[in-house]
Amino acid sequence: MKGAFLFFVALRLAVAAPQPAPDPQLCTIKGTVTDALTNQPLRKAYLSLGGKYPAVTDDRGAFSIDKIKPGRYPLTAEHQGYLDGEYGEADGAEVELKLAPGQTLTDINVKLTPQAVISGRVVDEDGEVWPHAEVNLLRSKRVHGQSKIESFANQRLNDKGE
């Protein structure tokens, strides 16, 4: 007998393992990330819910975070070319999301402010460079319904007064 072949065929019965039922206690949030000035959706924005639950926006600026344990969480977002932001911050108050067991929140919108550059020179009354100055950038922010001025950034000047 020339070239005998032996074939084994193993049949495996497909027995579906019982799938765990979705936990009715877990929560979901869905929303978008947009430009705070133009309201245009931001693709590939990175979000973090309480530092534990990450997400990235799709082409429409939409995100969904599932399987969240009930609790209180800040929702932060970041995108290249924008200041990092937190849900509610652009509307005047940072807001923690409070999730009850089994709750689904929708229409959550995080607005990010485009970055900007401030440039110039500091000179004295004679128009000469004043290299010993420090420039402080302040911003107005609402905290618990109250307007508050806070330091945002500061910079010492170089020898050219810049």
Side-chain angles (χ1 to χ4, degrees), residues 37-124:
L37 300 178
T38 66
N39 289 321
Q40 294 297 310
L42 296 177
R43 178 178 172 259
K44 292 186 178 179
Y46 174 82
L47 296 106
S48 176
L49 182 68
K52 298 178 183 179
Y53 303 96
V56 176
T57 58
D58 64 15
D59 290 342
R60 299 178 328 266
F63 69 90
S64 179
I65 304 174
D66 301 316
K67 299 179 183 174
I68 306 164
K69 291 182 181 178
R72 297 176 73 95
Y73 301 97
L75 177 62
T76 59
E78 59 186 70
H79 190 282
Q80 188 172 2
Y82 290 82
L83 299 176
D84 293 353
E86 190 167 324
Y87 173 67
E89 180 179 53
D91 296 323
E94 295 172 6
V95 176
E96 277 193 333
L97 298 172
K98 184 177 180 183
L99 298 168
Q103 184 175 17
T104 296
L105 293 179
T106 59
D107 299 325
I108 300 296
N109 183 266
V110 181
K111 299 175 185 179
L112 296 182
T113 303
Q115 292 178 347
V117 175
I118 299 172
S119 64
R121 292 181 59 206
V122 176
V123 295
D124 64 16

Coordinates of all heavy atoms in Angstrom, one line a residue, residues 37-124:
L37 N -15.8 76.8 22.2 CA -16.1 78.0 21.5 C -17.0 77.8 20.3 O -17.9 78.6 19.9 CB -14.8 78.7 21.0 CG -13.8 79.1 22.1 CD1 -12.6 79.7 21.6 CD2 -14.5 80.1 23.1
T38 N -16.7 76.7 19.6 CA -17.5 76.4 18.3 C -18.6 75.3 18.5 O -19.3 75.1 17.6 CB -16.5 75.9 17.2 OG1 -15.9 74.6 17.6 CG2 -15.4 77.0 17.0
N39 N -18.5 74.6 19.6 CA -19.4 73.5 19.8 C -19.2 72.3 18.8 O -20.1 71.4 18.7 CB -20.9 73.9 19.8 CG -21.2 74.7 21.1 OD1 -20.8 74.4 22.1 ND2 -22.0 75.7 20.9
Q40 N -18.1 72.3 18.1 CA -17.8 71.2 17.2 C -17.3 70.0 18.0 O -16.6 70.1 19.0 CB -16.7 71.6 16.2 CG -17.1 72.7 15.3 CD -18.2 72.3 14.4 OE1 -18.2 71.2 13.7 NE2 -19.3 73.1 14.3
P41 N -17.8 68.8 17.6 CA -17.3 67.6 18.3 C -15.8 67.4 18.2 O -15.2 67.7 17.2 CB -18.1 66.5 17.7 CG -18.6 67.0 16.4 CD -18.6 68.5 16.5
L42 N -15.2 66.8 19.2 CA -13.8 66.5 19.2 C -13.5 65.0 19.1 O -13.9 64.3 20.0 CB -13.1 67.1 20.4 CG -13.2 68.6 20.5 CD1 -12.5 69.1 21.9 CD2 -12.4 69.3 19.4
R43 N -13.0 64.6 18.0 CA -12.6 63.2 17.8 C -11.3 62.9 18.6 O -10.4 63.7 18.7 CB -12.4 63.0 16.3 CG -12.0 61.7 15.9 CD -11.8 61.7 14.3 NE -11.3 60.5 13.9 CZ -10.0 60.3 13.5 NH1 -9.2 61.4 13.5 NH2 -9.5 59.2 13.1
K44 N -11.2 61.7 19.1 CA -10.1 61.2 19.8 C -9.8 62.0 21.1 O -8.6 62.1 21.5 CB -8.8 61.1 18.9 CG -8.9 60.1 17.8 CD -7.6 60.0 17.1 CE -7.6 59.0 16.0 NZ -6.4 58.9 15.3
A45 N -10.8 62.5 21.8 CA -10.6 63.1 23.1 C -10.5 61.9 24.1 O -11.2 60.9 24.0 CB -11.7 64.0 23.4
Y46 N -9.6 62.1 25.1 CA -9.5 61.0 26.1 C -10.2 61.5 27.4 O -10.1 62.6 27.8 CB -8.0 60.8 26.4 CG -7.8 59.9 27.6 CD1 -7.8 58.5 27.4 CD2 -7.6 60.4 28.9 CE1 -7.6 57.7 28.5 CE2 -7.4 59.5 29.9 CZ -7.4 58.2 29.7 OH -7.2 57.3 30.8
L47 N -11.0 60.6 27.9 CA -11.8 60.9 29.1 C -11.4 59.9 30.2 O -11.0 58.8 30.0 CB -13.3 60.7 28.9 CG -13.9 61.7 27.9 CD1 -14.2 61.0 26.6 CD2 -15.1 62.4 28.4
S48 N -11.6 60.4 31.4 CA -11.4 59.5 32.6 C -12.5 59.9 33.6 O -12.6 61.0 34.0 CB -10.0 59.8 33.2 OG -9.8 59.0 34.4
L49 N -13.2 58.8 34.0 CA -14.2 59.0 35.1 C -13.6 58.5 36.4 O -13.3 57.4 36.6 CB -15.4 58.1 34.8 CG -16.6 58.2 35.8 CD1 -17.2 59.6 35.7 CD2 -17.6 57.2 35.5
G50 N -13.3 59.5 37.3 CA -12.8 59.2 38.6 C -11.4 58.6 38.5 O -11.0 57.9 39.5
G51 N -10.7 58.7 37.4 CA -9.4 58.1 37.3 C -9.4 56.6 37.1 O -8.3 55.9 37.1
K52 N -10.6 56.0 37.1 CA -10.7 54.5 37.0 C -11.3 54.0 35.7 O -11.0 52.9 35.3 CB -11.6 54.1 38.1 CG -11.1 54.4 39.5 CD -12.1 53.9 40.6 CE -11.7 54.3 42.0 NZ -12.6 53.9 43.0
Y53 N -12.1 54.8 35.1 CA -12.9 54.4 33.9 C -12.5 55.2 32.7 O -13.0 56.4 32.6 CB -14.4 54.4 34.2 CG -14.8 53.6 35.4 CD1 -15.0 54.2 36.6 CD2 -15.0 52.2 35.2 CE1 -15.4 53.5 37.7 CE2 -15.5 51.5 36.3 CZ -15.6 52.1 37.6 OH -16.0 51.4 38.7
P54 N -11.6 54.7 31.8 CA -11.2 55.6 30.6 C -12.1 55.4 29.4 O -12.8 54.4 29.3 CB -9.8 55.0 30.3 CG -9.9 53.6 30.7 CD -10.8 53.5 31.9
A55 N -12.1 56.3 28.5 CA -12.8 56.3 27.3 C -12.2 57.2 26.3 O -11.5 58.1 26.6 CB -14.3 56.6 27.5
V56 N -12.4 57.0 25.0 CA -12.0 57.8 23.9 C -13.2 58.1 23.0 O -13.9 57.2 22.7 CB -10.8 57.1 23.1 CG1 -10.4 58.0 21.9 CG2 -9.6 56.9 24.0
T57 N -13.3 59.4 22.5 CA -14.4 59.7 21.7 C -14.2 59.2 20.3 O -13.1 59.0 19.8 CB -14.6 61.2 21.6 OG1 -13.4 61.9 21.1 CG2 -15.0 61.8 23.0
D58 N -15.4 59.0 19.6 CA -15.4 58.5 18.2 C -15.4 59.7 17.3 O -15.1 60.8 17.7 CB -16.6 57.6 18.0 CG -17.9 58.2 18.1 OD1 -18.0 59.5 18.1 OD2 -18.9 57.5 18.2
D59 N -15.6 59.4 16.0 CA -15.6 60.5 15.0 C -16.6 61.6 15.2 O -16.5 62.7 14.7 CB -15.8 59.9 13.6 CG -14.6 59.1 13.1 OD1 -13.5 59.2 13.7 OD2 -14.8 58.2 12.2
R60 N -17.7 61.3 16.0 CA -18.7 62.2 16.2 C -18.5 62.9 17.6 O -19.4 63.6 18.1 CB -20.1 61.6 16.2 CG -20.5 61.0 14.9 CD -21.8 60.3 14.9 NE -22.2 59.7 16.2 CZ -22.0 58.4 16.5 NH1 -21.4 57.6 15.7 NH2 -22.3 57.9 17.7
G61 N -17.4 62.7 18.2 CA -17.1 63.2 19.6 C -17.8 62.5 20.7 O -17.9 63.0 21.8
A62 N -18.5 61.4 20.4 CA -19.3 60.6 21.3 C -18.4 59.6 22.1 O -17.5 59.1 21.6 CB -20.4 59.9 20.6
F63 N -18.9 59.4 23.4 CA -18.2 58.4 24.2 C -19.3 57.7 25.0 O -20.4 58.1 25.2 CB -17.2 59.0 25.2 CG -17.8 59.9 26.2 CD1 -18.2 59.3 27.5 CD2 -18.1 61.2 26.0 CE1 -18.8 60.1 28.5 CE2 -18.6 62.0 27.0 CZ -19.0 61.5 28.2
S64 N -18.9 56.5 25.5 CA -19.7 55.7 26.4 C -18.8 55.0 27.4 O -17.8 54.4 27.0 CB -20.5 54.7 25.6 OG -21.4 53.9 26.4
I65 N -19.2 55.0 28.6 CA -18.4 54.3 29.7 C -19.5 53.4 30.4 O -20.5 53.9 30.9 CB -17.8 55.3 30.7 CG1 -16.9 56.3 29.9 CG2 -17.0 54.5 31.7 CD1 -16.3 57.4 30.8
D66 N -19.2 52.1 30.4 CA -20.1 51.1 30.9 C -19.4 50.4 32.2 O -18.3 50.6 32.4 CB -20.3 50.0 29.9 CG -21.0 50.6 28.6 OD1 -21.9 51.4 28.7 OD2 -20.5 50.2 27.5
K67 N -20.2 49.7 32.9 CA -19.8 48.9 34.0 C -19.2 49.7 35.1 O -18.1 49.4 35.6 CB -18.9 47.7 33.5 CG -19.5 46.8 32.5 CD -18.6 45.7 32.1 CE -19.3 44.8 31.0 NZ -18.4 43.9 30.4
I68 N -19.8 50.8 35.4 CA -19.3 51.7 36.4 C -20.0 51.4 37.8 O -21.2 51.2 37.8 CB -19.6 53.2 36.1 CG1 -19.1 53.5 34.7 CG2 -19.1 54.1 37.1 CD1 -19.7 54.8 34.1
K69 N -19.2 51.3 38.8 CA -19.8 51.1 40.1 C -20.5 52.4 40.6 O -20.0 53.5 40.3 CB -18.7 50.7 41.2 CG -18.1 49.3 40.9 CD -17.1 49.0 42.0 CE -16.5 47.6 41.7 NZ -15.4 47.3 42.7
P70 N -21.6 52.2 41.3 CA -22.3 53.4 41.8 C -21.4 54.3 42.7 O -20.5 53.7 43.3 CB -23.5 52.9 42.6 CG -23.7 51.5 42.1 CD -22.3 51.0 41.6
G71 N -21.5 55.6 42.6 CA -20.7 56.5 43.4 C -20.7 57.9 42.8 O -21.4 58.2 41.9
R72 N -19.8 58.7 43.4 CA -19.6 60.1 42.9 C -18.2 60.1 42.2 O -17.2 59.7 42.7 CB -19.6 61.0 44.1 CG -20.9 61.1 44.8 CD -20.8 62.0 46.0 NE -20.8 63.4 45.6 CZ -21.9 64.2 45.5 NH1 -23.0 63.7 45.8 NH2 -21.7 65.4 45.1
Y73 N -18.2 60.7 41.0 CA -17.0 60.8 40.2 C -16.9 62.1 39.4 O -17.9 62.6 38.9 CB -17.0 59.7 39.1 CG -17.2 58.3 39.6 CD1 -18.4 57.6 39.6 CD2 -16.0 57.5 40.0 CE1 -18.5 56.3 40.1 CE2 -16.1 56.2 40.4 CZ -17.4 55.6 40.5 OH -17.5 54.3 40.9
P74 N -15.6 62.6 39.4 CA -15.4 63.7 38.4 C -15.1 63.1 37.1 O -14.6 62.0 36.9 CB -14.1 64.4 39.0 CG -13.4 63.3 39.7 CD -14.5 62.4 40.2
L75 N -15.5 63.8 36.0 CA -15.3 63.4 34.6 C -14.4 64.4 34.0 O -14.7 65.5 33.8 CB -16.6 63.3 33.9 CG -16.5 62.9 32.4 CD1 -15.9 61.5 32.2 CD2 -17.8 62.9 31.7
T76 N -13.2 63.9 33.7 CA -12.2 64.8 33.0 C -12.0 64.4 31.6 O -12.2 63.3 31.2 CB -10.8 64.8 33.8 OG1 -10.3 63.4 33.8 CG2 -11.0 65.3 35.2
A77 N -11.5 65.4 30.8 CA -11.2 65.1 29.4 C -10.0 65.9 29.0 O -9.7 67.0 29.5 CB -12.4 65.5 28.5
E78 N -9.3 65.4 28.0 CA -8.2 66.1 27.4 C -8.1 65.8 25.9 O -8.6 64.8 25.4 CB -6.9 65.7 28.1 CG -6.6 64.2 28.0 CD -5.3 63.8 28.8 OE1 -5.4 63.8 30.1 OE2 -4.3 63.4 28.2
H79 N -7.5 66.7 25.2 CA -7.4 66.6 23.7 C -6.2 67.5 23.3 O -6.1 68.6 23.9 CB -8.7 67.1 23.0 CG -8.7 66.7 21.6 ND1 -8.0 67.5 20.6 CD2 -9.3 65.8 20.9 CE1 -8.2 67.0 19.4 NE2 -9.0 65.9 19.5
Q80 N -5.4 67.1 22.4 CA -4.3 67.9 22.0 C -4.8 69.2 21.4 O -5.7 69.3 20.6 CB -3.5 67.1 20.9 CG -2.2 67.8 20.6 CD -1.3 66.9 19.7 OE1 -1.7 65.8 19.3 NE2 -0.1 67.5 19.3
G81 N -4.1 70.3 21.8 CA -4.5 71.6 21.4 C -5.6 72.3 22.2 O -6.0 73.4 21.9
Y82 N -6.0 71.6 23.3 CA -7.0 72.2 24.2 C -6.5 72.1 25.7 O -5.7 71.2 26.0 CB -8.3 71.4 24.1 CG -9.0 71.6 22.8 CD1 -8.6 70.9 21.6 CD2 -10.0 72.5 22.7 CE1 -9.2 71.1 20.4 CE2 -10.7 72.7 21.4 CZ -10.2 72.0 20.3 OH -10.8 72.2 19.1
L83 N -7.1 73.0 26.5 CA -6.8 72.9 27.9 C -7.6 71.7 28.5 O -8.7 71.4 28.0 CB -7.3 74.1 28.6 CG -6.6 75.5 28.2 CD1 -7.3 76.6 29.0 CD2 -5.1 75.4 28.5
D84 N -7.0 70.9 29.4 CA -7.7 69.8 30.0 C -8.9 70.4 30.7 O -8.9 71.5 31.2 CB -6.8 69.1 31.1 CG -5.6 68.4 30.4 OD1 -5.5 68.4 29.2 OD2 -4.7 67.9 31.2
G85 N -10.0 69.7 30.7 CA -11.2 70.1 31.3 C -11.9 69.1 32.1 O -11.6 67.9 32.1
E86 N -12.9 69.6 32.8 CA -13.8 68.7 33.7 C -15.2 69.0 33.4 O -15.6 70.2 33.1 CB -13.4 69.0 35.1 CG -14.0 68.0 36.1 CD -13.4 68.1 37.5 OE1 -12.2 68.4 37.6 OE2 -14.2 67.9 38.4
Y87 N -16.1 68.0 33.5 CA -17.5 68.2 33.2 C -18.0 69.3 34.1 O -17.8 69.3 35.3 CB -18.2 66.9 33.5 CG -19.7 67.0 33.4 CD1 -20.3 67.3 32.2 CD2 -20.5 66.9 34.5 CE1 -21.7 67.5 32.1 CE2 -21.9 67.1 34.4 CZ -22.5 67.3 33.2 OH -23.8 67.5 33.1
G88 N -18.8 70.2 33.5 CA -19.4 71.3 34.2 C -18.5 72.5 34.3 O -19.0 73.6 34.5
E89 N -17.2 72.4 34.1 CA -16.3 73.5 34.3 C -16.5 74.7 33.4 O -16.5 75.8 33.8 CB -14.8 73.0 34.1 CG -13.8 74.0 34.3 CD -12.4 73.3 34.1 OE1 -12.2 72.7 33.1 OE2 -11.6 73.5 35.0
A90 N -16.8 74.4 32.1 CA -17.0 75.5 31.1 C -18.3 76.2 31.4 O -18.5 77.3 31.0 CB -17.1 74.9 29.7
D91 N -19.2 75.6 32.2 CA -20.5 76.3 32.5 C -20.4 77.0 33.8 O -21.4 77.5 34.3 CB -21.6 75.2 32.5 CG -21.9 74.6 31.2 OD1 -21.7 75.4 30.2 OD2 -22.1 73.4 31.1
G92 N -19.2 77.0 34.5 CA -19.1 77.8 35.7 C -18.9 77.0 36.9 O -18.7 77.6 38.0
A93 N -19.1 75.7 36.9 CA -18.9 75.0 38.2 C -18.5 73.5 37.8 O -19.1 72.9 37.0 CB -20.2 74.9 39.0
E94 N -17.5 73.0 38.5 CA -17.1 71.6 38.3 C -18.2 70.8 39.0 O -18.6 71.1 40.1 CB -15.7 71.4 38.9 CG -14.6 72.1 38.2 CD -13.3 72.0 38.9 OE1 -13.2 71.3 39.9 OE2 -12.4 72.7 38.5
V95 N -18.5 69.7 38.3 CA -19.6 68.9 38.8 C -19.2 67.4 39.0 O -18.6 66.9 38.0 CB -20.8 68.9 37.9 CG1 -22.0 68.0 38.3 CG2 -21.4 70.4 37.7
E96 N -19.4 66.8 40.1 CA -19.2 65.4 40.2 C -20.5 64.7 39.8 O -21.6 65.1 40.1 CB -18.9 65.0 41.7 CG -17.4 65.2 42.0 CD -17.1 64.5 43.4 OE1 -18.0 64.4 44.2 OE2 -15.9 64.2 43.5
L97 N -20.3 63.6 39.0 CA -21.5 62.9 38.6 C -21.8 61.9 39.7 O -20.9 61.2 40.2 CB -21.1 62.1 37.3 CG -20.8 63.0 36.1 CD1 -20.4 62.1 34.9 CD2 -22.0 63.8 35.7
K98 N -23.0 61.9 40.1 CA -23.5 61.0 41.2 C -24.3 59.9 40.5 O -25.4 60.1 39.9 CB -24.3 61.7 42.2 CG -24.7 60.8 43.4 CD -25.5 61.6 44.4 CE -25.9 60.7 45.6 NZ -26.7 61.4 46.5
L99 N -23.8 58.6 40.6 CA -24.5 57.5 40.0 C -25.1 56.6 41.0 O -24.4 56.1 41.9 CB -23.4 56.7 39.1 CG -22.8 57.5 38.0 CD1 -21.6 56.8 37.4 CD2 -23.8 57.8 36.9
A100 N -26.4 56.4 40.8 CA -27.1 55.5 41.7 C -27.1 54.1 41.0 O -26.8 54.0 39.8 CB -28.6 55.9 41.8
P101 N -27.3 53.0 41.8 CA -27.2 51.7 41.3 C -28.1 51.5 40.0 O -29.3 51.9 40.0 CB -27.7 50.8 42.4 CG -27.3 51.6 43.6 CD -27.5 53.0 43.3
G102 N -27.5 51.0 38.9 CA -28.2 50.7 37.7 C -28.5 51.9 36.8 O -29.1 51.8 35.8
Q103 N -28.0 53.1 37.2 CA -28.4 54.4 36.5 C -27.6 54.5 35.2 O -26.5 54.1 35.1 CB -28.1 55.6 37.4 CG -28.5 56.9 36.8 CD -28.3 58.0 37.8 OE1 -27.6 57.9 38.8 NE2 -28.9 59.2 37.5
T104 N -28.3 55.1 34.2 CA -27.6 55.4 32.9 C -27.8 56.9 32.7 O -28.9 57.4 32.7 CB -28.3 54.7 31.7 OG1 -28.0 53.3 31.9 CG2 -27.7 55.1 30.4
L105 N -26.7 57.7 32.6 CA -26.7 59.1 32.3 C -26.4 59.3 30.9 O -25.5 58.7 30.3 CB -25.7 59.9 33.2 CG -25.9 59.9 34.7 CD1 -24.8 60.7 35.3 CD2 -27.3 60.6 35.0
T106 N -27.2 60.1 30.2 CA -27.0 60.4 28.8 C -26.8 61.9 28.6 O -27.1 62.7 29.5 CB -28.1 59.9 27.9 OG1 -29.3 60.4 28.3 CG2 -28.2 58.3 28.0
D107 N -26.4 62.3 27.4 CA -26.3 63.7 27.0 C -25.3 64.5 27.9 O -25.5 65.7 28.2 CB -27.7 64.4 27.0 CG -28.6 63.8 26.0 OD1 -28.2 63.3 25.0 OD2 -29.8 63.7 26.3
I108 N -24.3 63.8 28.4 CA -23.3 64.5 29.2 C -22.3 65.2 28.2 O -21.8 64.5 27.3 CB -22.5 63.5 30.1 CG1 -23.4 62.8 31.0 CG2 -21.3 64.1 30.8 CD1 -24.0 63.7 32.1
N109 N -22.1 66.5 28.3 CA -21.2 67.2 27.4 C -20.1 67.8 28.1 O -20.3 68.6 29.0 CB -22.0 68.2 26.6 CG -21.1 68.9 25.6 OD1 -20.6 70.0 25.9 ND2 -21.0 68.4 24.4
V110 N -18.9 67.5 27.7 CA -17.7 68.1 28.3 C -17.1 69.0 27.3 O -16.9 68.6 26.1 CB -16.6 67.0 28.7 CG1 -15.4 67.7 29.3 CG2 -17.2 65.9 29.6
K111 N -17.0 70.3 27.6 CA -16.5 71.3 26.7 C -15.1 71.6 27.0 O -14.7 71.9 28.2 CB -17.4 72.6 26.9 CG -18.8 72.4 26.6 CD -19.6 73.6 26.9 CE -21.1 73.4 26.7 NZ -21.9 74.6 27.0
L112 N -14.2 71.6 26.0 CA -12.8 71.9 26.2 C -12.5 73.2 25.5 O -13.0 73.5 24.4 CB -12.0 70.8 25.6 CG -12.1 69.4 26.2 CD1 -11.1 68.4 25.6 CD2 -11.8 69.5 27.7
T113 N -11.7 74.0 26.2 CA -11.3 75.3 25.7 C -10.0 75.2 24.9 O -9.0 74.6 25.3 CB -11.1 76.3 26.8 OG1 -12.3 76.4 27.6 CG2 -10.7 77.7 26.4
P114 N -10.0 75.8 23.6 CA -8.7 75.7 22.8 C -7.6 76.5 23.6 O -7.8 77.5 24.3 CB -9.1 76.5 21.6 CG -10.6 76.5 21.5 CD -11.1 76.4 22.9
Q115 N -6.4 76.0 23.4 CA -5.2 76.6 24.0 C -5.0 77.9 23.2 O -5.4 78.1 22.1 CB -4.0 75.7 23.8 CG -4.0 74.5 24.7 CD -2.8 73.6 24.5 OE1 -2.0 73.8 23.5 NE2 -2.6 72.7 25.4
A116 N -4.3 78.8 23.9 CA -3.9 80.1 23.3 C -2.5 80.5 23.8 O -2.0 79.9 24.7 CB -4.9 81.2 23.8
V117 N -2.0 81.5 23.1 CA -0.7 82.0 23.5 C -0.8 83.5 23.7 O -1.4 84.2 23.0 CB 0.3 81.8 22.3 CG1 1.7 82.4 22.6 CG2 0.5 80.3 22.1
I118 N -0.1 83.9 24.8 CA 0.0 85.4 25.1 C 1.5 85.7 25.0 O 2.3 85.0 25.6 CB -0.5 85.7 26.5 CG1 -2.0 85.3 26.7 CG2 -0.3 87.1 26.9 CD1 -2.5 85.4 28.1
S119 N 1.8 86.7 24.2 CA 3.2 87.1 24.1 C 3.3 88.6 24.1 O 2.4 89.4 24.0 CB 3.7 86.6 22.7 OG 3.1 87.2 21.7
G120 N 4.5 89.1 24.4 CA 4.8 90.5 24.5 C 6.1 90.8 25.2 O 6.8 89.9 25.5
R121 N 6.3 92.1 25.4 CA 7.5 92.5 26.2 C 7.1 93.5 27.3 O 6.2 94.3 27.1 CB 8.5 93.2 25.2 CG 9.1 92.3 24.2 CD 10.1 93.0 23.3 NE 11.1 93.6 24.1 CZ 11.8 94.6 23.7 NH1 11.6 95.2 22.5 NH2 12.8 95.1 24.5
V122 N 7.8 93.4 28.4 CA 7.5 94.3 29.5 C 8.6 95.3 29.5 O 9.8 95.0 29.5 CB 7.5 93.6 30.8 CG1 7.3 94.5 32.0 CG2 6.4 92.5 30.8
V123 N 8.2 96.6 29.4 CA 9.2 97.7 29.4 C 8.8 98.7 30.4 O 7.6 98.8 30.9 CB 9.3 98.4 28.0 CG1 9.8 97.4 27.0 CG2 7.9 98.9 27.6
D124 N 9.7 99.5 30.9 CA 9.4 100.6 31.8 C 8.8 101.8 31.1 O 8.7 101.8 29.9 CB 10.5 100.9 32.7 CG 11.7 101.5 32.0 OD1 11.6 101.9 30.8 OD2 12.9 101.5 32.6

